[in-house]
Amino acid sequence: MAGNTLLYKSNYAVSSKIEPFYKGGKVQISRDEQYLLCTCGSKVNILQIDTGKIIHSIEQDDQEDITSFSLSPDDEILVTASRALLLKQWDWKQEKCTRSWRAIHNVPVASMTFDCTTTLLATGGCDGTIKLWDVVKQYCTHNLKGSSGVVHLVEFHPDISRLQLFSSSVDCGIRIWDLRTSKCVCVLQSHYSAVTSLAFSPDGQTLVSSGRDKICSVWDLKEKAVKRTVPVYEAVEGVVLLPGTSDYSQMGVKSDGLHFVTAGSKGVLRVWDSSSAHCVFTQTLPDAPALSTEEADLNPRSLMHLLPMPQSNRLATVTAEHNILIYQMPSLNIQQQFVGYNDDILDVKFLGKDDTHIVVATNSSQLKVFELATNSCQILHGHTDTILSIDVFCKGSMFASCAKDKSLRLWKMDQTSGLVHCVARGSGHSNAVGSIACSRLKKVFLVSGSQDCTIKVWEVPDPPPALGCEPGLMTARITEKAHDKDVNSLTISPNDKLLASGSQDRTAKLWSLADMSLLGVFRGHSRGIWCIQFSPVDQILATASADGSIKIWGLQDFSCLKTFEGHDASVLKIIFVSRGTQLVSGGSDGLLKLWTIKTNECVKTFDAHQDKVWALHGSSKDDLMVTGSADSTITLWKDVTEVELAEEQAKQEDQVLKQQELSNLLHEKKYLKALGIAISLDQPHTALRVIREIRQQEHGLQELEKTLLKLRQDQKESVLRYCVVWNTNSRSCLDAQAVLQVLLTHLSPEEMLQYQGARTHLEGLIPYTERHMQRIGRLLQASMFLDYMWQKMRITGGKESVNLDDDEMDTSPQSTFIIDKQTMEMTNTQASQQQQEDEEEDLEESENRVERTDEDESVSISKSAHMNGKKHNGVNRVADEGHVSSEESENEDEVMEISTKSLPTKSTGSALCETATIR
């Protein structure tokens, strides 16, 4: 495999996401035509049209779905209605609810609209009532009854002086309400199904209505009668009047009469002359197959909304697949496309010379090509059923797709414009084509695998037809019955000589592409194989199965070399990364896993999807990968291994510099700054070292007090947290207690309790402090015994005097203690038990121990006594030094060895923590 210098990947970070922002319902464009508002469950998303980015998201607090909304004509007020029967008024630019009130409707609001003055708001309910609200004075002004069923359409007459409201419900009539009298003055009857849209002429005298009964009606509002009925032969969802001030000859407008545009079930825009009732223009979609009238009713490209953009002379349409398309008039060229909802993501591949685009196959007959920089989308038509798989040729400008319609298509992207066109197509399978693989070296062939259990090798036209020409035909060179069940995955070796196939029959097979001869079979999976991949550098093959495992196979003997297990469900996709030394897998558990092949180790698990990860692909530079899931989300991942290593290295270098600076500060006795650096490094041991340095000074306690009081509150919180650790160890408890003494002396209990985690820290300090107090008490008792022994030795010394270093021996009469032997034995037993307890305590706290300074490690009393006389008992008297080790001090075992050759000079009973061994 790759050399030892290869850097394994350790982490990926989410670079960007393409998520659903529109799942059906109302769509509205702001008056300045900069924003598009649409519903998505309990949210209203505001899309900036120029950039395609969601800049605001208005969400209901109660998580109830929004049934309708309306933006005021001045673009200032947004009102939403939810299933909770609440109306909410929003300052949408600040994403803040300014007012909410309960709708008087007994059922959810189905429609709403503002009048042109932003004063009145009309709401149509599912209960057949219409209510008008004064937005400024905040009260209900009208309650209009008379409609039958759901009021799905309400519109104010553009001339506010008329004070008229138009509405439509399930009775297919258009009611005109006089707001002065709150009565219905007329019902316009012409349609035989739901009225979907109303369009008023500029003078307000003519109304055009559309319906799903495949007709449009032109009304004379003065006479309140139908002027003309236009048969449009499709269920119309939207109608827009063309203004008479522009030249629309490109759209077939050759007269000055009233013309209108319809959008409906056929998925194309058509222009009609109202005077002749003839269609003067029909839009054509590139690569879109022709549809009959019967197919049009089920066309996924059906248009559900048509929105005018008069300032920029554009039209916006919304398709049944939640795609939003903006056309420039009069040419009707597509200016922008947005995908509101992708449904299940079945496959995704990087596209373009520098991986600037991705091509996505969703649960749809349309391909979507996204530009990663702007998220703008190009929708490709051609297939007539769900596209199942896509694969890219070597240089990334051509790719192939296969679908349930039993066909394959070859696509080419123009590197200059970024436009993609179909250049070839092929058919021949007897069932859905579920997998496809393109050649790796030259654009000469591709291979398809189908649910009919066969594999076909196709010749690609060379050179392919030019863009804009009729797609060429591909022919199958070889057809082979390959498996007993569906062929789920195909892959071609890097040298274009071998083909590997994975099937639902639980086997993988290796083929020679020259003649499609079978070279070997890989058996070992207990369930179907979903994905198969060649290593880019080694003669190995990787397979991913529904049994939850990934297997590595050798191409020489077809044996299983390694097995990776970690997913809780089917492994759906795998790719090689890091020059073939690592794998990335995606499963139906929604997880991605990064594996190192050499060590069989799962390096990292990524959880960014809520459903099956069907799609996974790596970029040509191996620094990006893209995933697609059944949760309708496309995620772009960036390799951040080198970034993390650089950050870690910089952090280590920074720590080294800070450690050096800390040493310099301690040498210069700048303790405050030194303690601050230790706290910033979050190193309790280093902070303890600074505290000890301070306490060793001539006026240590005063210096410690001055230093601690100058710390910030967050630094004091850290020191208090460190004290809890220091206090658990008898070697560092004195430092902890010194710090606590300063804090408790100068800070009130109220201030201490304001510290983060103060209660927990104080509770942790209490039990260990009590144990330290008990130990000091026992040491005090032991020091009294030393006093007694010293007095006895002084008496035994006789008349000879002892020279002391500085003081004279106390010769005052001393009281004599009578020591009970039984009491001494009990004391020794208690001391032994205490020694065992302290040893267990030190063993439990061994991880928290810090090195103790020379002053705390031992208490040594070195005294020399020189006799003034000659020899006593024939032996020179020489004073030896006595030492008590730190272990002996902690366990409180004082071993007293009294020799006739040595004599101490003075008791040290006044010290609380000093013991001595006198030899």
Side-chain angles (χ1 to χ4, degrees), residues 109 112 177 380 394 412 484 526-527 532 580 591 723 821 853:
V109 174
M112 67 168 62
W177 303 87
L380 307 179
C394 53
K412 185 175 182 180
D484 297 330
S526 59
R527 297 187 68 183
I532 188 167
L591 301 177
C723 284
K821 183 176 181 181
T853 60

Side-chain angles (χ1 to χ4, degrees), residues 44-55:
V44 173
N45 290 319
I46 294 96
L47 176 81
Q48 190 169 19
I49 295 176
D50 292 340
T51 63
K53 305 288 186 183
I54 300 295
I55 60 167

